[in-house]
């Protein structure tokens, strides 16, 4: 009855789990996938993140395993041997030997146990190393998750950039169609030549080609994002990039940013923990100079009794308990360069801490200056677009009054398009630099 009840319980739990997974997949709108949903899917599905979590689990398991070294070693041994009679050559091996009857059967049953009492601190420091390795593994996992978030954000911004450029080209294609109709009307009235009709049609063809290229680039970028999220190949996916760009992206002063980076960036903590590992390695190496003490004992049943002479054909029991002390004298001279290497590793770890902090400061400074640069570029691009728009309006008016050529109108149109495209690019790049700055200081 209990077995049947337990089986039903397990089946119920399994069905609930499958139903929950199914409903979760149904709740995700892959046709309008948002940034937050993509990040959640990536953290769950991405293979690199799964590997990172597994490595962290392995570090925890190793730490638990090393703690078992303090427990006693317990063994059981048994053996049976059949022994021949003894032949003693009293007058040389080429002469007849004298035969002595011995006890032919020998067996023993032995149980033994030993436990380390003092190993110079090796066990304790090895456990500390394992604990630090687990902490480093957790930091690496967190860093991998942040890198994945940054990768997903970059992919979203790239797709958003392509879509905005495509929308811009689409608007220009509509405008080209209107211009072609106007030019054809002027041609019918004999105001313009066939060449001007061809030039306006060529402009539409060029914009149509650009739109097609951008459409393919969007599909490629979305497929790349799908690969990052480890989604099935047959899963159709399109991203929603609305409200992805913010015009109010302010950041603190550079000094505050550097301070935040040195506090939150995982690499800073990892280099400090690496120094702790090297210091523990030095202690473990130093333990080679120290004696090792173990306690243990054994209890056995043996046959025959070899404790007496001559041996007696009786089984006997005996127990022993005691302490063993070992002092490796050879390490007084063999351990010299190991200690020197341990000290050099500590010096190297300290230099790596300084180098890493300098690198982080520079990275923060570089990304901060690039963010400032994009902020200035947005203002310049906004001014440029007003100028290009006004220039296009003037040239278009002149062309309508036959005061300018079609080539001048197309050049003004291309200049206006380039200004609009640049404004889109610098705004998206500013948002990207903002996220990169947040990633560098450890906030993302």
């Amino acid at each position: 009855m209990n077995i049947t009840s337990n089986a039903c319980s397990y089946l119920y739990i399994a069905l609930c789990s499958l139903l929950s997974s199914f409903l979760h997949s149904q709740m995700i709108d892959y046709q309008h996938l948002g940034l937050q949903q993509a990040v959640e899917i990536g953290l769950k599905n991405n293979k690199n993140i799964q590997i990172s979590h597994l490595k962290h689990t392995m570090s925890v398991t190793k730490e638990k395993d090393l703690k078992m070294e303090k427990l006693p070693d317990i063994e059981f041994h048994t053996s049976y041997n059949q022994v021949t009679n003894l032949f003693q050559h009293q007058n040389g091996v080429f002469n007849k030997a004298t035969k002595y009857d011995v006890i032919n059967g020998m067996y023993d049953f032995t149980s033994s146990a030993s436990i380390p009492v003092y190993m110079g601190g090796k066990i304790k420091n090895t456990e500390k190393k394992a604990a630090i390795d687990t902490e480093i593994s957790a930091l690496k996992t967190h860093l991998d998750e942040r890198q994945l978030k940054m990768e997903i954000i970059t992919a979203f911004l790239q797709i958003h950039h392509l879509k905005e450029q495509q929308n811009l080209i689409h608007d220009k294609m509509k405008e080209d169609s209107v211009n072609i109709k106007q030019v054809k009307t002027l041609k019918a009235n004999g105001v313009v030549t066939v060449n001007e009709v061809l030039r306006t049609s060529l402009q539409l063809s060029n914009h149509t080609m650009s739109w097609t290229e951008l459409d393919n680039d969007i599909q490629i970028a979305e497929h790349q994002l799908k690969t990052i999220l480890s989604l099935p190949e047959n899963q159709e996916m399109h991203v929603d990039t609305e409200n992805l760009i913010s015009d109010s992206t302010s950041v603190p002063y550079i000094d505050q940013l550097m301070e935040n980076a040195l506090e939150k960036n995982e690499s800073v903590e990892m280099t400090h923990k690496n120094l702790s590992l090297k210091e523990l390695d030095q202690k473990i190496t130093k333990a080679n100079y120290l004696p090792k003490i173990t306690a243990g004992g054994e209890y056995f049943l043996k046959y025959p009794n070899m404790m007496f002479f001559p041996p007696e054909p009786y089984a006997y029991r005996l127990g022993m308990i005691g302490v063993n002390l070992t002092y490796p004298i050879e390490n007084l001279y063999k351990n010299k360069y190991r200690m020197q290497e341990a000290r050099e590793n500590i010096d190297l770890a300290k230099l790596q801490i300084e180098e890493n902090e300098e690198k982080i400061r520079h990275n923060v400074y570089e990304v901060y200056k690039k963010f400032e640069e994009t902020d200035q570029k947005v203002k310049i691009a906004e001014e440029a677009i007003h100028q290009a728009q006004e220039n296009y309006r003037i040239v278009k008016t002149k062309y309508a009054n036959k005061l300018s050529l079609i080539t001048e109108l197309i050049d003004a149109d291309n200049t206006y398009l380039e200004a609009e495209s640049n404004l889109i690019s610098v705004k998206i790049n500013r948002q990207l630099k903002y996220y990169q700055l947040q990633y560098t200081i450890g906030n993302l």
Side-chain angles (χ1 to χ4, degrees):
M1 182 65 181
N2 289 336
I3 295 175
T4 305
S5 177
N6 290 336
C8 291
S9 299
Y10 292 142
L11 181 61
Y12 176 75
I13 292 171
L15 288 173
C16 287
S17 177
L18 288 173
L19 181 61
S20 176
S21 300
F22 175 76
L23 291 174
H24 179 68
S25 63
Q26 295 299 312
M27 288 170 59
I28 299 174
D29 184 6
Y30 286 104
Q31 298 303 313
H32 304 87
L33 188 65
L35 177 59
Q36 186 59 39
Q37 284 182 317
V39 169
E40 292 174 0
I41 294 170
L43 292 176
K44 180 182 178 182
N45 294 349
N46 185 267
K47 298 298 183 293
N48 186 51
I49 299 299
Q50 291 179 5
I51 290 170
S52 185
H53 279 288
L54 181 57
K55 286 182 177 179
H56 176 62
T57 303
M58 292 168 65
S59 294
V60 173
T61 303
K62 183 179 179 181
E63 182 183 354
K64 293 177 180 178
D65 178 59
L66 287 172
K67 289 181 179 179
M68 304 296 287
E69 293 296 320
K70 293 185 294 186
L71 299 179
D73 296 327
I74 302 174
E75 293 182 353
F76 173 77
H77 167 77
T78 184
S79 66
Y80 176 81
N81 297 289
Q82 190 68 28
V83 184
T84 66
N85 291 326
L86 188 149
F87 294 88
Q88 181 172 291
H89 296 275
Q90 294 173 326
N91 299 314
V93 293
F94 297 105
N95 296 316
K96 185 178 180 181
T98 303
K99 176 183 176 183
Y100 294 92
D101 292 330
V102 298
I103 301 172
N104 300 114
M106 292 184 178
Y107 62 84
D108 78 280
F109 300 93
T110 305
S111 296
S112 62
S114 64
I115 186 170
V117 177
Y118 178 74
M119 304 298 288
K122 273 191 175 183
I123 296 177
K124 178 182 69 176
N125 290 320
T126 302
E127 287 181 8
K128 289 181 179 179
K129 277 190 65 178
I132 293 175
D133 282 332
T134 302
E135 292 171 1
I136 291 176
S137 176
L139 289 170
K140 286 181 179 178
T141 300
H142 190 254
L143 178 60
D144 288 341
E145 290 176 347
R146 292 205 306 114
Q147 288 175 341
L148 178 65
K149 290 178 184 177
M150 189 65 228
E151 198 174 348
I152 294 172
I153 289 171
T154 302
F156 262 77
L157 289 174
Q158 180 189 6
I159 295 170
H160 180 66
H161 178 259
L162 293 171
K163 284 185 174 181
E164 289 295 302
Q165 296 288 354
Q166 189 182 45
N167 291 337
L168 179 61
I169 295 295
H170 186 261
D171 292 341
K172 285 297 179 183
M173 288 167 61
K174 290 181 179 178
E175 191 174 337
D176 289 340
S177 299
V178 174
N179 289 339
I180 289 172
K181 289 181 181 179
Q182 291 176 349
V183 173
K184 284 183 176 180
T185 302
L186 293 174
K187 167 65 174 61
N189 296 328
V191 178
V192 298
T193 63
V194 177
N195 179 55
E196 297 190 19
V197 177
L198 293 175
R199 290 298 300 270
T200 51
S201 299
L202 179 61
Q203 183 80 339
L204 176 60
S205 298
N206 290 336
H207 287 159
T208 304
M209 186 181 298
S210 298
W211 188 93
T212 304
E213 290 177 357
L214 288 167
D215 191 58
N216 287 331
D217 289 341
I218 290 171
Q219 294 180 43
I220 292 170
E222 287 187 333
H223 187 274
Q224 183 182 13
L225 177 61
K226 187 166 72 172
T227 303
I228 294 171
L229 301 181
S230 296
L231 292 175
E233 188 62 32
N234 59 357
Q235 175 66 62
E236 187 177 355
M237 185 204 74
H238 300 287
V239 301
D240 180 11
T241 60
E242 293 294 327
N243 303 319
L244 202 60
I245 305 299
S246 174
D247 292 327
S248 57
T249 50
S250 59
V251 295
Y253 292 110
I254 184 68
D255 293 337
Q256 182 63 42
L257 292 172
M258 287 185 179
E259 185 178 341
N260 289 343
L262 293 176
E263 288 178 359
K264 296 182 179 180
N265 194 291
E266 294 89 353
S267 64
V268 175
E269 193 169 353
M270 282 193 286
T271 53
H272 281 280
K273 290 187 180 299
N274 181 57
L275 174 60
S276 299
L277 287 176
K278 301 307 177 185
E279 290 172 345
L280 288 171
D281 282 336
Q282 185 185 39
K283 291 180 180 179
I284 292 172
T285 305
K286 190 176 181 180
N288 292 333
Y289 289 124
L290 302 174
K292 298 173 178 59
I293 302 173
T294 58
E298 63 178 9
Y299 190 84
F300 53 79
L301 171 66
K302 291 186 178 182
Y303 175 88
N305 185 357
M306 304 293 288
M307 301 294 287
F308 295 157
F309 186 81
E312 296 187 355
Y314 305 111
Y316 73 101
R317 293 178 296 164
L318 186 67
M320 293 183 289
I321 189 169
V323 178
N324 296 321
L325 185 145
T326 305
Y327 188 82
I329 298 175
E330 72 277 4
N331 282 339
L332 293 175
Y333 52 88
K334 282 187 175 181
N335 209 42
K336 175 182 177 182
Y337 292 108
R338 296 172 191 164
M339 285 297 297
Q340 181 178 338
E341 183 182 1
R343 288 191 294 268
E344 290 169 351
N345 283 332
I346 289 174
D347 293 337
L348 177 62
K350 289 178 179 178
L351 287 174
Q352 287 173 339
I353 289 174
E354 295 176 6
E355 180 194 28
N356 185 61
E357 290 180 355
E358 290 173 357
K359 189 183 296 184
I360 288 175
R361 287 190 181 95
H362 174 71
N363 289 342
V364 172
Y365 179 81
E366 181 181 4
V367 178
Y368 179 79
K369 296 303 289 185
K370 287 295 182 182
F371 175 75
E372 281 189 333
E373 178 185 319
T374 55
D375 215 23
Q376 295 170 358
K377 283 183 176 180
V378 168
K379 296 176 183 177
I380 296 171
E382 288 174 345
E383 293 177 2
I385 201 169
H386 291 310
Q387 295 167 354
Q389 185 180 19
E390 181 63 18
N391 178 62
Y392 177 66
R393 186 190 65 80
I394 293 171
V395 175
K396 191 174 183 180
T397 303
K398 285 183 177 181
Y399 179 76
N401 295 322
K402 302 309 297 173
L403 297 176
S404 66
L405 301 174
I406 186 65
T407 54
E408 294 176 330
L409 178 61
I410 291 175
D411 288 342
D413 183 38
N414 288 337
T415 302
Y416 184 32
L417 175 62
E418 183 180 358
E420 289 181 300
S421 176
N422 285 339
L423 181 60
I424 291 171
S425 298
V426 294
K427 279 188 173 182
I428 294 175
N429 192 36
R430 178 179 63 178
Q431 193 69 39
L432 177 61
K433 295 302 178 185
Y434 172 78
Y435 281 120
Q436 288 177 344
L437 183 59
Q438 297 302 312
Y439 170 78
T440 304
I441 64 177
N443 283 344
L444 184 63

